[in-house]
Amino acid sequence: MYTMQAVAVLTQPNAPLLTMTGICKSFGSQEVLRAVDFDLCAGEVHVLAGENGAGKSTLMRILGGALRADAGRTTIGGRQAVLRHPRDAAAHGIAVIHQELSLVGSMSIADNLFLGREPSTAGWLHRAGSLERARELLARVGLRLDPRRTVDSLTISSQQLVEIAKALALDARIIVMDEPTSALSAPEVQHLFARIADLKSAGCGIIYITHRLEEIYTIADRISVLRDGNLVATRRAEDLPAGELVRLMVGRSMSEQAPRHATAQTKVRLRVEHCTVRAARPGLPPIVADVSLQVHRGEILGLVGLEGSGVSELLWTVFGALGKRGSARVEIDGRPTSIHSPRAAIDAGVALVTNDRKRTGLIPGMDIIANTTLASLPRLSPAGWINRAAEARQASDSARRLNLLAASLRQSVSSLSGGNQQKVVLARWMGTQPRIVLLDDPTRGVDVGAKHEIYLLMNQWSEQGRSIVFSSSEWPELLHVSHRIMVMHRGRIAASFEGGRAGPADLLRAAMGATADA
Amino acid sequence: MPETPDKPAQPLALDRAERPGWRTWLSSSSATALAALCFVLLIGTLFSGDGAFYKWNTHRDALRQASVYGMLACGMTFVIITAGIDLSVGSVLALVAVAFSILSIHLSWSPWLAIPACLALGATCGAASGAVIARLRIQPFIVTLAMMVFARGLAKTISGGRKVSTAMQLPDGSWTAADVPHVFRAIDSRLLGDNISVVSLIFILCVVISWIILARLRWGRYLYAIGGNEEAARLSGVPVTIMKVLAYSLAGIFSAIAGLCQAAQEQQGDPEAGIGYELTAIAIVVIGGTNLMGGRGGIGLTLLGTLTIGYLDKILSINAVPEASRLMLTGVIIIVAVLLQRRKD
């Protein structure tokens, strides 16, 4: 119903298809969006740019009906729209295409296209009709596939096009694409862009989120920049050069960060050469492409990259945790070391704190002591019999050093706050006495106090001569803590900076793949 | 996204890694499991079957009858703690019962050889399941279902499809009766003035061994870690493949022990023995409160679960409740027990 009216309004060129005004959203005490205004015209691609955590996804989740705004109004085709549920958004002709596709892999393309709205009479499906309609829709996105094929059997890029066809099946006029190219090869990206051009000429408006500068300037008509929940600019793409865009995303105030340390000039502790991580499917560029780096004794090396840059995969490979997908030549203290499993890495004195403590860090049912000592049990139980006194001593020592807040060490880790959970993970790696610590975004989702404790621990480790590779999604902290910073873009080292020689804007430029003079 | 705020917590009492107080214990799984057992015992005092419940012999028999199930449940506990399942325990029990009977009755092996051979047979079955699960990454349900069918077939093959008993057919076609092996009588006997069955003592021994493995050895810690979060365990250096093979091997060994006891009690090896026992073993573990999702639970809970199921059965039978009603009641009790346990998770 709504969509028919929307179409009528939209036949006039450049009529605003969507207007969002004064959108506010807070999670607890944290303001994520502050009175954001955003609009979208028919037949345009409007790029939404911003750093990690700037509020882009929150805004799009509000538009998609997955979240409700605290304040503000949304107008679609000139009429106020109430978006309480993804269903409402669909009824208003809004389709959101996420990075994780929302197709049911075991079902056929046709079934996916009409899921929830199957053409039927009294529950009896119109099979022939829906196949016919599915073929039409697939043709519109340039796919010549049998609609009876299961979605599982398609490549990621075809799945993405099926997702777009599904948006067309819904008569969607407002299409949100959240980093659609992150898993695509270059020709597939070209094909996607051609389909986006088709959608534009068909009168759809497209909201496009990406971290890649070259894409922004290939397809954007307009660009809006979000920073810390504020909309800082909306301009035509030709009026917003790359340098200016990056400056707006970062904000001026943060570029004057004092460096903490000079580079430690000591012996090389960790040398990684030719680190390569294959993509999950053949035909795609590698996730990490022949990266080499070295870290000195006591040095904190900051590693920066936007989503999909390969930073985490690089760390996992050095830790031997990616199996056959990742390979690297690793030398520790000048000696070639073969690390083929996490156990081997631990024995060689390497520790890895992953960026997702719930999925890859904590063991939920176990208490603080058992979680803390898990990686050092071979030492605490040489004959297989756990020395419970030594175990409790180690846990309470590290708990004291990290200022862990808990009622008892026998408490389950599930009942701890995010910051204290992260301290338990760090305590686990204090226990193995590592020479090299790989920290993948260790301050994600922890409170300010715990962040401070983590920096203190890193300093301590550094002073003890341990080497640290530190990645973080919060660049100010990374600039603050690191002796040296390397920036990764699409699996390669795009730039490196000595401590204090770079600001957030430099990092962002390099991480988005801008050439040195952009 | 903001994290949930801290629960009221004080700086850690660092000098004491003390256990939680009794209040915490009251809401624990062990308290619930104990309450369930007490409830069943209370029913026993109310419906004592004309005073039979107050006789020690009733308890002795309840214990003996529950023991074989309890041994299977011990093995099952290891597997369930790793977030797996073992459907083959009943078939392995039958296979071992048949093998033990052939070795002891027909081939007159010494128990000092026959028992280790039977334990090795059980361990091999378990290790095979575990290796396929861990290396080939097939779901435990499927793999152990296959092993359940395979071991049953093997039991029928080596027994020729007949019960292996002391009645032996001679080459000329006539039948003769062999002596019941001494080891059978020993396992089936009672100690302490006829007051406790040897089978029950074997079960208690199984519980103690399981407790040591789970609560005191590095192995046990690794099993919990795998069940709680396999990827995190792997990244902490836990040898996941080896530990999974170990868990299923232990289940196989405990099934083998149960098979030895079964053969001794029946004085024969029945290739049809133990059908459906895997489900009783799973029910015991679940009623005890060990979580099927893995990572939580323990052998104490399994002991309580064994006693609960064992006593329930005994009390219903001394009150002459027909088997049909007993089965229906057991079904209801499983659901109630799990609902009680879920409260805290």
Side-chain angles (χ1 to χ4, degrees):
Chain A
M1 291 296 132
Y2 291 101
T3 47
M4 294 314 289
Q5 287 158 5
V7 173
V9 175
L10 291 174
T11 38
Q12 305 148 33
N14 285 337
L17 195 53
L18 163 76
T19 326
M20 298 174 87
T21 37
I23 304 288
C24 297
K25 181 72 191 174
S26 304
F27 294 119
S29 59
Q30 194 188 353
E31 276 188 88
V32 184
L33 292 174
R34 297 193 186 94
V36 169
D37 296 337
F38 183 83
D39 67 277
L40 178 70
C41 298
E44 76 160 348
V45 173
H46 193 153
V47 165
L48 195 54
E51 286 185 290
N52 296 336
K56 296 173 307 221
S57 349
T58 307
L59 185 63
M60 289 305 108
R61 287 176 70 196
I62 289 172
L63 180 61
L67 275 180
R68 290 189 68 180
D70 298 336
R73 47 184 283 158
T74 303
T75 317
I76 291 169
R79 290 165 141 260
Q80 177 153 8
V82 183
L83 306 169
R84 287 212 184 86
H85 191 273
R87 248 195 334 264
D88 300 339
H92 282 89
I94 300 168
V96 182
I97 298 170
H98 292 283
Q99 277 167 282
E100 305 86 30
L101 301 171
S102 60
L103 301 171
V104 183
S106 57
M107 285 170 45
S108 74
I109 299 175
D111 290 345
N112 265 289
L113 288 177
F114 305 115
L115 190 60
R117 305 165 302 107
E118 294 81 359
S120 63
T121 310
W124 193 268
L125 296 176
H126 299 167
R127 247 186 100 62
S130 71
L131 285 179
E132 194 47 47
R133 175 118 174 78
R135 271 192 204 98
E136 254 171 61
L137 289 165
L138 289 180
R140 280 180 67 190
V141 295
L143 274 182
R144 247 179 264 120
L145 290 173
D146 184 343
R148 286 169 298 190
R149 273 179 70 172
T150 60
V151 164
D152 276 339
S153 67
L154 309 178
T155 63
I156 303 278
S157 91
S158 298
Q159 290 185 16
Q160 214 148 31
L161 293 169
V162 170
E163 189 101 48
I164 294 172
K166 191 176 166 186
L168 294 175
L170 285 163
D171 278 326
R173 291 277 143 179
I174 299 166
I175 299 175
V176 181
M177 296 188 185
D178 189 356
E179 296 206 49
T181 54
S182 54
L184 301 190
S185 66
E188 290 167 346
V189 171
Q190 289 315 311
H191 186 75
L192 177 72
F193 284 0
R195 299 289 80 74
I196 290 177
D198 294 347
L199 291 172
K200 278 170 67 172
S201 48
C204 295
I206 290 143
I207 303 172
Y208 192 98
I209 298 177
T210 183
H211 281 309
R212 296 180 183 170
L213 271 185
E214 75 268 20
E215 279 181 15
I216 296 181
Y217 288 101
T218 312
I219 63 162
D221 295 302
R222 281 195 298 162
I223 302 171
S224 283
V225 182
L226 274 174
R227 186 175 71 223
D228 299 334
N230 296 302
L231 186 94
V232 291
T234 298
R235 300 214 200 133
R236 299 206 58 77
E238 55 268 30
D239 301 335
L240 186 60
E244 175 77 355
L245 170 63
V246 168
R247 200 185 55 75
L248 286 172
M249 285 167 71
V250 174
R252 221 171 316 192
S253 59
M254 299 198 312
S255 52
E256 304 102 32
Q257 277 280 350
R260 254 194 49 259
H261 285 283
T263 310
Q265 282 302 343
T266 48
K267 287 209 296 207
V268 173
R269 170 138 264 177
L270 170 71
R271 191 190 299 278
V272 177
E273 280 172 346
H274 309 301
C275 179
T276 298
V277 177
R278 281 204 321 265
R281 66 183 178 98
L284 282 185
I287 293 168
V288 178
D290 197 24
V291 167
S292 298
L293 56 83
Q294 56 187 40
V295 193
H296 298 263
R297 277 177 64 97
E299 187 183 32
I300 301 177
L301 172 68
L303 213 49
V304 172
L306 295 163
E307 207 124 316
S309 61
V311 169
S312 298
E313 288 83 357
L314 173 70
L315 298 180
W316 279 55
T317 304
V318 173
F319 192 64
L322 271 193
K324 295 201 173 78
R325 266 183 69 206
S327 62
R329 275 229 332 260
V330 176
E331 260 179 39
I332 296 174
D333 288 332
R335 288 177 41 196
T337 311
S338 151
I339 296 181
H340 46 80
S341 71
R343 182 76 258 162
I346 295 166
D347 293 340
V350 185
L352 169 70
V353 173
T354 63
N355 62 6
D356 187 343
R357 62 180 164 269
K358 288 223 167 61
R359 280 200 331 103
T360 51
L362 294 169
I363 316 281
M366 301 202 319
D367 62 15
I368 296 175
I369 295 181
N371 265 288
T372 303
T373 57
L374 186 61
S376 35
L377 278 185
R379 184 167 53 76
L380 291 169
S381 58
W385 195 279
I386 294 176
N387 181 342
R388 290 165 66 82
E391 179 184 51
R393 212 176 313 119
Q394 174 176 323
S396 78
D397 279 353
S398 46
R400 192 183 289 118
R401 270 180 63 192
L402 289 167
N403 220 355
L404 182 75
L405 291 181
S408 152
L409 286 176
R410 300 247 172 241
Q411 194 178 336
S412 158
V413 289
S414 318
S415 60
L416 297 174
S417 70
N420 284 310
Q421 289 184 343
Q422 191 68 359
K423 288 178 186 174
V424 172
V425 173
L426 288 164
R428 180 184 300 163
W429 296 113
M430 283 169 68
T432 64
Q433 300 288 333
R435 285 183 284 179
I436 296 153
V437 190
L438 313 172
L439 300 172
D440 191 0
D441 213 353
T443 57
R444 175 185 282 190
V446 308
D447 54 287
V448 182
K451 274 183 189 167
H452 187 67
E453 307 283 353
I454 293 172
Y455 303 149
L456 284 180
L457 177 68
M458 288 173 64
N459 262 337
Q460 235 174 46
W461 271 340
S462 161
E463 277 157 22
Q464 291 164 352
R466 305 180 207 279
S467 303
I468 299 174
V469 182
F470 174 49
S471 124
S472 172
S473 52
E474 286 179 39
W475 295 357
E477 87 174 6
L478 192 123
L479 288 161
H480 190 69
V481 171
S482 309
H483 298 140
R484 193 157 55 89
I485 295 175
M486 291 177 121
V487 184
M488 285 185 72
H489 173 69
R490 303 182 77 168
R492 293 171 199 282
I493 301 288
S496 36
F497 304 95
E498 290 302 307
R501 299 276 168 77
D506 302 311
L507 300 189
L508 187 59
R509 252 196 304 277
M512 292 179 83
T515 42
D517 53 352
Chain B
M1 285 287 254
E3 293 283 331
T4 45
D6 270 289
K7 294 217 170 122
Q10 61 269 23
L12 198 59
L14 288 162
D15 303 321
R16 300 166 293 145
E18 83 284 21
R19 303 201 151 272
W22 62 274
R23 271 171 194 285
T24 328
W25 183 82
L26 270 187
S27 66
S28 71
S29 293
S30 2
T32 316
L34 192 60
L37 176 59
C38 290
F39 180 69
V40 168
L41 292 177
L42 182 68
I43 295 177
T45 60
L46 295 179
F47 302 94
S48 61
D50 292 330
F53 189 73
Y54 299 111
K55 299 208 174 72
W56 173 247
N57 282 0
T58 308
H59 295 265
R60 181 194 66 197
D61 292 346
L63 278 175
R64 182 182 58 78
Q65 285 159 7
S67 291
V68 166
Y69 294 118
M71 294 170 203
L72 296 179
C74 284
M76 190 68 76
T77 307
F78 293 106
V79 172
I80 288 182
I81 280 174
T82 67
I85 196 93
D86 190 347
L87 300 179
S88 69
V89 293
S91 296
V92 172
L93 174 147
L95 174 61
V96 168
V98 167
F100 189 44
S101 300
I102 293 177
L103 295 178
S104 302
I105 303 173
H106 291 191
L107 305 180
S108 308
W109 279 29
S110 144
W112 301 112
L113 276 175
I115 292 176
C118 287
L119 296 184
L121 177 62
T124 309
C125 291
S129 301
V132 172
I133 289 163
R135 294 293 304 186
L136 306 182
R137 291 170 196 273
I138 306 179
Q139 286 154 336
F141 190 97
I142 312 280
V143 174
T144 59
L145 180 69
M147 178 56 78
M148 169 174 130
V149 177
F150 180 86
R152 180 71 62 190
L154 188 57
K156 291 187 180 184
T157 305
I158 62 175
S159 65
R162 287 187 302 271
K163 291 176 180 163
V164 180
S165 66
T166 50
M168 289 195 290
Q169 196 166 22
L170 297 174
D172 60 13
S174 65
W175 290 83
T176 174
D179 287 339
V180 175
H182 179 69
V183 61
F184 278 35
R185 294 187 194 284
I187 292 174
D188 196 28
S189 63
R190 304 196 192 105
L191 293 179
L192 304 176
D194 237 21
N195 278 324
I196 185 108
S197 306
V198 171
V199 175
S200 301
L201 292 176
I202 294 175
F203 167 54
I204 300 299
L205 186 67
C206 289
V207 170
V208 172
I209 293 170
S210 304
W211 179 81
I212 289 172
I213 293 173
L214 283 175
R216 286 293 177 268
L217 296 192
R218 188 165 70 209
W219 285 355
R221 191 62 65 71
Y222 283 172
L223 295 176
Y224 280 105
I226 290 169
N229 187 340
E230 187 172 328
E231 182 69 351
R234 185 178 75 92
L235 291 173
S236 299
V238 174
V240 173
T241 305
I242 296 172
M243 295 315 299
K244 281 191 175 175
V245 172
L246 175 78
Y248 288 90
S249 303
L250 286 169
I253 290 173
F254 283 103
S255 309
I257 296 173
L260 298 177
C261 296
Q262 179 91 2
Q265 287 181 323
E266 296 188 346
Q267 301 197 344
Q268 64 181 10
D270 181 359
E272 305 284 351
I275 290 177
Y277 281 24
E278 60 282 339
L279 301 180
T280 308
I282 294 168
I284 287 172
V285 175
V286 168
I287 286 177
T290 294
N291 194 324
L292 280 182
M293 304 299 288
R296 288 166 214 258
I299 207 68
L301 298 177
T302 298
L303 174 62
L304 291 171
T306 308
L307 295 176
T308 306
I309 285 274
Y311 270 112
L312 182 70
D313 214 48
K314 193 71 192 170
I315 288 163
L316 294 174
S317 83
I318 59 176
N319 285 288
V321 177
E323 201 209 355
S325 319
R326 268 150 58 187
L327 289 175
M328 293 195 291
L329 202 62
T330 310
V332 172
I333 289 195
I334 291 172
I335 295 297
V336 172
V338 172
L339 281 178
L340 284 175
Q341 293 291 356
R342 196 173 61 181
R343 206 160 36 91
K344 295 140 337 230
D345 288 342

